[in-house]
Amino acid sequence: MSLPILFEIPDGADSADRLELFVAFSRFKLDVLGARSNWDASSWDLSLYLPTNGAHRTKVLRWKLTKSKGGKEFSSEFSNFAKAYVCYVHSLNPKKSYDVELAALRIIYLSLQEFCENSDITRVSPDLLNHCVTLISQTYRTGAAYTTGRAAVRIPAFFHLLGRVPLRFP
């Protein structure tokens, strides 16, 4: 059994420094999902790392606004955060699929673009999460909206509870 690697931040680090340290930690210290070798790629083929149902099925994480091959990619800052988050979550609790987390990340990205006019994850606020809920309710049906909404709240709460990226409350 391997020992867990915990992410710790130095005292006095601001939210931008914490985010940068978290991305560096996930990129260079966690070797999960082939992240070290594929970090800069716009999509990750997870077929080697996750179980698949069938011999020729593939599981691909696309760091874009759509699940399909086309579409606008995340900004480099947000893409690095999304990759770091998925790697860290996988290292703590491996799952067969990260579709819900990726859908939540897409909604947060869209909300940041519309609400804050940039993709800085440290700017997540309760108002932005309310905007995420509106987008989710317009995009998904009840069951999928519920699971995506829970994941969308879990992402900033993950950092807030652990002191990684503080939420800004007006």
Side-chain angles (χ1 to χ4, degrees):
M1 174 180 261
S2 62
L3 295 173
I5 301 172
L6 297 176
F7 172 63
E8 297 180 17
I9 52 170
D11 292 335
D14 66 356
S15 59
D17 290 340
R18 292 175 182 184
L19 182 59
E20 186 178 325
L21 289 169
F22 175 69
V23 168
F25 169 81
S26 295
R27 182 174 185 173
F28 299 113
K29 297 226 178 191
L30 297 177
D31 192 17
V32 296
L33 303 175
R36 282 192 192 170
S37 60
N38 293 326
W39 190 270
D40 293 324
S42 62
S43 63
W44 290 356
D45 182 3
L46 304 181
S47 301
L48 299 173
Y49 310 103
L50 299 176
T52 58
N53 299 334
H56 300 294
R57 292 192 54 162
T58 60
K59 290 190 177 188
V60 177
L61 286 181
R62 289 186 173 84
W63 308 108
K64 299 179 179 191
L65 288 176
T66 60
K67 289 175 76 171
S68 62
K69 290 186 179 181
K72 181 180 173 190
E73 292 187 16
F74 290 149
S75 69
S76 62
E77 298 167 338
F78 194 85
S79 179
N80 284 334
F81 161 73
K83 292 171 186 178
Y85 177 75
V86 169
C87 286
Y88 192 70
V89 167
H90 181 77
S91 70
L92 295 176
N93 186 21
K95 296 171 48 177
K96 291 181 180 180
S97 172
Y98 291 95
D99 292 342
V100 172
E101 287 79 5
L102 211 49
L105 286 163
R106 287 181 182 114
I107 292 289
I108 291 172
Y109 183 79
L110 285 171
S111 294
L112 284 167
Q113 292 289 314
E114 292 177 16
F115 198 78
C116 300
E117 298 180 2
N118 64 23
S119 57
D120 183 6
I121 192 67
T122 64
R123 304 208 28 106
V124 171
S125 67
D127 291 334
L128 184 112
L129 291 176
N130 285 337
H131 189 69
C132 286
V133 169
T134 303
L135 286 177
I136 289 169
S137 65
Q138 293 170 355
T139 308
Y140 298 101
R141 292 185 183 188
T142 306
Y146 180 75
T147 56
T148 304
R150 284 183 56 203
V153 170
R154 242 188 339 255
I155 292 168
F158 165 78
F159 291 107
H160 177 67
L161 292 175
L162 298 176
R164 304 303 187 250
V165 177
L167 289 173
R168 296 179 186 193
F169 293 97

